Amino acid sequence: MNYIKIFDDIEEKYNLKPLSLRIEEKEPDEIYARVGAGDFKPMCLAMHKYLHSPVMSFFAVDERKEKGVFGLLCAFQSIEFKKWVFITTEVPKDNAEFESLSKDIYSAALFEREIYEMFGIVPKNSPDTRRLKLHEEVWPQGNFPLRKDFDSKKIKDSPKSEHKLKEVEGDGVFEVAVGPVHAGLIAPGHFRFSVAGEPVINLEIHLGFTHRGVEKIFENLSLNEAVSLSECVSGDSAFAHSWAFCNSIEKILKINVPENIQYVRAVLLELERMYNHVNDIGGIAVDVGFSFPSAFASLMKESILDLNEKLTESRYLKNVNAIGGVLCDFNDDKKQVLIQNLEMLQKDLNELKKMILSNVSFMDRADSTGILRKNIAEDLGVLGPAGRASGIDKDLRKDFHGIYDKVKFNSIHCLSGDVSARLKIRFDEFEESIKIVKQFLDMIKPFESKKEQLPKIKEGYALGCAEGWRGPVLYWVKIDAEGHIVRCKIVDPSFRNWEGLAFAMPGNIVPDFPLCNKSFDFSYSGNDL
Amino acid sequence: MIEIFKNSIRKALQTRPLSIKEIPVSKEYEMLGAELKKAIKKRFSRSFHIREVDTGSCGACESEIIAATNPIYDIQRFGVDFVASPRHADALLVTGPVSKNMELALKRTYDAMPGPKLVITLGDCALDGGKFKNSYYTLSGVKNVLPVSAHIHGCPPKPIDIVKAILILLGKTK
């Protein structure tokens, strides 16, 4: 019970009324603290300062039918106590507004804009209320899709406006617009560079082109359908997403997943991390025109995808996770294949390292390009490899996940925050992943795949998490008594990290943009949902 | 410094035996590829150029298209190439269920292509919206926006499926 100390300290330090504070311990690692609407902002600020945590998730729930109010929940992480701290409040349905957090906590800014465009709850005094995903050119005003009474057939038409991008004015400043359709084989997004001479002064990133309304589709799905939808949120982190989703449902229904199964999940998650990291290393190489290591890296990626198929019959680890278990079997043959492949991958990685790190002209491009400073990254709430390259040593595997306590691995972080730091993070994490998989393999006992029976369904809510290769993937899911999903809030690491790219670009030249972009490598579809 | 020289010499003179080489590219793939090469030679005189547009896919389809161009599958050797501009393209390859934000960009890309032009859809979302069918923000498939000539099934389709589908498409076009 020592985590109650958090609230005692806050009461002492910030003098916040304890009467409006209620702690309910629903889940072993989640604390929900309810406060009055007036105390919401000061409480969030206090928690943000006290826990040194960015806003991990901030969202609304439509409870107008049951209670006549919108619920607001803001999540922080307490690494010291291994707890998720939720500050919750209620806003009346007629006068739906709350005091904006984003002036004081920058990492809340994007979440606030999302709450406004999806629910129509106004963040008062907010510096930025532009839309994120429902573009002004396409979507009429006054239609809020995540409200329960929203009907897509009855969309009110109204005059559409233009999305305003920030303008930089001055002598010799001109703009370069890129996208949404790019030259390469990548997803759509719009980038607007303000350039004076060579260096970039400002970069505006306008996303939302791949918005498909995922959170709305989740509502009213049955649990098994929802698992397969979560795999399609971001295709290259299908396993992390489905694990996070299953994790939240398992917490709600109090299903104990056998440790053996969790080890298998961890192995597959590491494989996903490996193929993506090596893909990025190749991508960084090709963006400076160094195609030989890129071809080599794509061979390595292919060999891991092939390995995935041998283990689970799916190259991208889709249709593998299920609530309470996994749908693939595991035997000694597979173990053998894995061990052999790991050894080969280690050899190939050493080779790739030599090729890239010993090339002076390549490292010249990568060193001190696209620097993201630690204090900026902290304010933005950048996490995952991008954050670790800037010196933010946070990792859910080490900070939260129970099973990762059983293996030894180093948490990698650099301080320089440039492209070469992010490159080195990827190399080192790849190596750590090999170590982790080897240790888990020793512990896994062979088993046959079987479909788990769900226990009796009851209503509830919980937060599921997994450290995907881009960073923490969070699913806050609320289900009703029949097992239908009432609200599913997804936070892909890309959503919190994209701004990092915009802050890393100024001062660099436009030709370095692909390099910076690839070194971060965020998901468009995970961000846009 | 020695490392650099060693590297350059090795790159210039010798293709290093790869441990990864053991991944078997199936005989079926090679056979289909040879057929594809013939078909492309006949109808497009050696090169078939594709412009890819993502209209809201999750990224797995793109990853598989990129995999088709890696040194193992190497679809370029059969004459299929991915180009940066729609002006250079014979066909448009579309993934994703077409989100409302991408509708205009997709139409404009199509309009920029020289005729005669083909549209190929890739992945289950692009056919009819797939898992995102009845969403408020998708148009449930490319066929609601553009005339579609061929479809490649799968979530995501493997590189061999891509080759197969292009082959069937070329068999149909005269």
Side-chain angles (χ1 to χ4, degrees):
Chain A
M1 290 292 277
N2 54 358
Y3 61 84
I4 300 293
K5 192 171 150 282
I6 301 173
F7 294 101
D8 292 343
D9 283 357
I10 282 176
E11 195 190 328
E12 200 179 295
K13 230 172 159 179
Y14 299 95
N15 195 19
L16 279 166
K17 275 182 200 163
L19 272 179
S20 57
L21 190 76
R22 196 159 64 90
I23 300 167
E24 45 180 326
E25 196 196 351
K26 268 189 66 69
E27 293 296 332
D29 62 352
E30 289 169 43
I31 307 170
Y32 291 85
R34 228 181 68 130
V35 296
D39 278 349
F40 184 64
K41 182 177 178 181
M43 191 68 195
C44 286
L45 258 175
M47 206 49 92
H48 171 64
K49 279 186 192 151
Y50 182 79
L51 296 176
H52 301 289
S53 157
V55 173
M56 295 300 287
S57 182
F58 181 21
F59 54 95
V61 184
D62 188 352
E63 290 170 336
R64 285 177 302 163
K65 229 178 185 178
E66 306 94 55
K67 297 185 196 162
V69 289
F70 289 107
L72 276 183
L73 293 95
C74 187
F76 298 90
Q77 61 176 166
S78 157
I79 289 170
E80 189 190 349
F81 297 109
K82 298 202 174 197
K83 300 273 181 220
W84 298 97
V85 183
F86 285 83
I87 311 295
T88 74
T89 191
E90 286 166 349
V91 287
K93 65 173 173 182
D94 318 313
N95 184 24
E97 57 178 24
F98 63 99
E99 195 63 39
S100 160
L101 304 180
S102 54
K103 264 187 186 165
D104 300 284
I105 314 176
Y106 192 84
S107 50
L110 290 176
F111 290 106
E112 260 178 27
R113 284 168 70 180
E114 196 185 46
I115 289 172
Y116 177 54
E117 73 173 342
M118 293 298 176
F119 286 93
I121 305 172
V122 186
K124 266 192 297 180
N125 306 324
S126 165
D128 191 355
T129 51
R130 292 175 301 163
R131 299 213 205 135
L132 278 174
K133 297 161 184 176
L134 314 170
H135 287 180
E136 284 94 338
E137 295 91 344
V138 176
W139 190 253
Q141 287 168 0
N143 294 289
F144 305 111
L146 282 182
R147 287 187 174 194
K148 286 283 170 203
D149 54 3
F150 169 80
D151 187 352
S152 58
K153 285 175 197 112
K154 291 182 199 154
I155 296 173
K156 284 174 277 172
D157 214 10
S158 73
K160 295 170 184 94
S161 55
E162 200 182 328
H163 184 83
K164 284 200 177 69
L165 293 160
K166 280 177 200 147
E167 278 177 33
V168 179
E169 288 176 358
D171 271 350
V173 176
F174 61 97
E175 286 188 333
V176 180
V178 181
V181 178
H182 299 287
L185 290 164
I186 55 166
H190 184 77
F191 301 91
R192 185 74 61 92
F193 302 92
S194 300
V195 187
E198 282 255 286
V200 174
I201 295 174
N202 185 40
L203 165 62
E204 273 285 284
I205 303 174
H206 182 37
L207 296 174
F209 289 94
T210 65
H211 180 60
R212 295 148 291 168
V214 172
E215 285 177 11
K216 188 77 180 176
I217 303 174
F218 262 109
E219 292 178 8
N220 298 323
L221 277 191
S222 76
L223 296 179
N224 286 328
E225 287 167 336
V227 176
S228 72
L229 179 59
S230 70
E231 286 164 348
C232 287
V233 170
S234 178
D236 49 15
S237 17
F239 196 81
H241 273 264
S242 59
W243 191 1
F245 178 77
C246 290
N247 185 224
S248 70
I249 301 294
E250 283 152 8
K251 271 163 108 179
I252 296 170
L253 301 180
K254 303 246 180 323
I255 301 171
N256 275 328
V257 183
E259 286 206 336
N260 204 23
I261 300 279
Q262 293 203 39
Y263 299 154
V264 174
R265 280 182 176 176
V267 166
L268 296 175
L269 188 69
E270 294 309 315
L271 286 174
E272 188 172 88
R273 192 185 315 283
M274 281 153 72
Y275 86 70
N276 280 303
H277 275 348
V278 80
N279 180 39
D280 279 349
I281 293 166
I284 293 171
V286 84
D287 279 337
V288 299
F290 192 17
S291 54
F292 178 59
S294 144
F296 191 84
S298 71
L299 286 172
M300 284 177 73
K301 183 189 175 188
E302 182 64 30
S303 75
I304 303 174
L305 290 181
D306 197 58
L307 181 63
N308 283 348
E309 196 176 12
K310 275 182 196 143
L311 293 175
T312 67
E313 294 171 7
S314 165
R315 281 158 65 87
Y316 293 89
L317 303 171
K318 288 184 173 181
N319 292 323
V320 179
N321 256 325
I323 295 161
V326 286
L327 297 177
C328 65
D329 56 357
F330 203 87
N331 51 33
D332 287 332
D333 292 348
K334 284 187 177 176
K335 212 181 228 182
Q336 215 51 48
V337 170
L338 245 171
I339 290 170
Q340 280 171 1
N341 270 286
L342 287 177
E343 269 162 26
M344 276 200 286
L345 284 169
Q346 179 69 55
K347 261 189 221 158
D348 289 331
L349 184 77
N350 295 342
E351 201 63 35
L352 188 64
K353 244 185 182 172
K354 259 193 228 164
M355 268 180 231
I356 288 183
L357 300 181
S358 67
N359 192 304
V360 181
S361 57
F362 175 86
M363 291 314 285
D364 189 40
R365 283 290 298 276
D367 276 334
S368 74
T369 302
I371 297 174
L372 181 64
R373 300 253 174 248
K374 187 183 180 185
N375 53 351
I376 295 176
E378 267 174 354
D379 285 348
L380 296 173
V382 174
L383 293 172
R388 290 197 280 278
S390 299
I392 300 171
D393 187 18
K394 284 184 182 171
D395 189 332
L396 285 187
R397 290 180 292 171
K398 152 173 82 77
D399 300 335
F400 276 88
H401 256 291
I403 49 157
Y404 276 95
D405 296 345
K406 306 214 158 143
V407 291
K408 281 190 196 127
F409 67 102
N410 301 321
S411 171
I412 312 290
H413 68 286
C414 294
L415 289 170
S416 55
D418 53 0
V419 171
S420 71
R422 287 185 282 277
L423 183 73
K424 277 173 201 151
I425 290 267
R426 295 211 151 87
F427 273 126
D428 293 348
E429 281 196 5
F430 191 99
E431 236 163 308
E432 292 302 320
S433 288
I434 293 179
K435 274 189 221 162
I436 294 171
V437 174
K438 273 185 185 159
Q439 293 176 55
F440 275 125
L441 270 184
D442 289 339
M443 295 192 269
I444 295 173
K445 296 181 197 84
F447 63 90
E448 295 273 307
S449 73
K450 61 170 191 276
K451 198 121 187 163
E452 303 285 333
Q453 281 292 329
L454 284 185
K456 198 169 169 292
I457 285 172
K458 57 181 179 196
E459 60 182 328
Y461 50 84
L463 180 94
C465 65
E467 178 81 16
W469 68 277
R470 279 195 187 95
V473 178
L474 308 176
Y475 272 69
W476 188 88
V477 185
K478 182 178 183 183
I479 60 172
D480 64 11
E482 279 134 39
H484 293 305
I485 292 164
V486 180
R487 174 88 171 96
C488 175
K489 169 66 194 166
I490 307 164
V491 186
D492 187 88
S494 312
F495 185 69
R496 51 188 328 110
N497 290 358
W498 261 112
E499 290 270 291
L501 175 59
F503 280 84
M505 257 325 271
N508 294 282
I509 55 173
V510 177
D512 274 336
F513 173 69
L515 187 60
C516 296
N517 189 12
K518 196 69 202 182
S519 73
F520 283 103
D521 195 29
F522 301 133
S523 158
Y524 294 76
S525 58
N527 173 75
D528 301 345
L529 294 178
Chain B
M1 205 59 185
I2 294 167
E3 252 336 298
I4 301 166
F5 281 127
K6 266 207 286 197
N7 252 333
S8 335
I9 291 167
R10 195 164 56 197
K11 263 180 284 176
L13 298 180
Q14 166 214 355
T15 317
R16 196 182 65 90
L18 291 175
S19 47
I20 308 163
K21 218 169 84 183
E22 285 161 28
I23 298 175
V25 177
S26 62
K27 274 191 184 145
E28 195 193 356
Y29 182 82
E30 293 296 331
M31 268 165 53
L32 285 169
E35 252 177 85
L36 184 65
K37 198 173 179 180
K38 251 190 246 163
I40 288 175
K41 195 168 187 185
K42 201 169 157 195
R43 301 198 215 298
F44 289 91
S45 78
R46 278 187 301 220
S47 70
F48 181 52
H49 283 184
I50 296 177
R51 169 66 250 190
E52 194 263 353
V53 175
D54 174 357
T55 62
S57 85
C58 65
C61 289
E62 274 75 45
S63 188
E64 282 297 51
I65 297 168
I66 293 168
T69 65
N70 74 18
I72 290 172
Y73 296 105
D74 195 14
I75 199 169
Q76 277 109 333
R77 70 192 145 125
F78 308 133
V80 179
D81 201 8
F82 294 93
V83 290
S85 168
R87 302 255 184 241
H88 304 157
D90 301 305
L92 190 64
L93 184 65
V94 191
T95 57
V98 191
S99 76
K100 284 191 178 169
N101 289 340
M102 275 306 285
E103 187 188 1
L104 185 65
L106 179 63
K107 278 183 185 158
R108 283 195 181 161
T109 310
Y110 181 75
D111 291 342
M113 285 166 65
K117 42 196 170 187
L118 298 167
V119 177
I120 310 168
T121 54
L122 189 145
D124 291 348
C125 310
L127 179 65
D128 61 352
K131 291 194 173 86
F132 309 104
K133 199 183 272 174
N134 295 318
S135 164
Y136 62 90
Y137 219 70
T138 67
L139 301 170
S140 302
V142 180
K143 61 174 186 263
N144 296 327
V145 187
L146 300 176
V148 176
S149 328
H151 175 70
I152 306 172
H153 286 281
C155 181
K158 291 177 191 172
I160 191 167
D161 300 328
I162 298 175
V163 171
K164 263 186 209 166
I166 296 175
L167 200 56
I168 293 168
L169 170 72
L170 295 184
K172 276 193 260 172
T173 49
K174 296 240 162 62

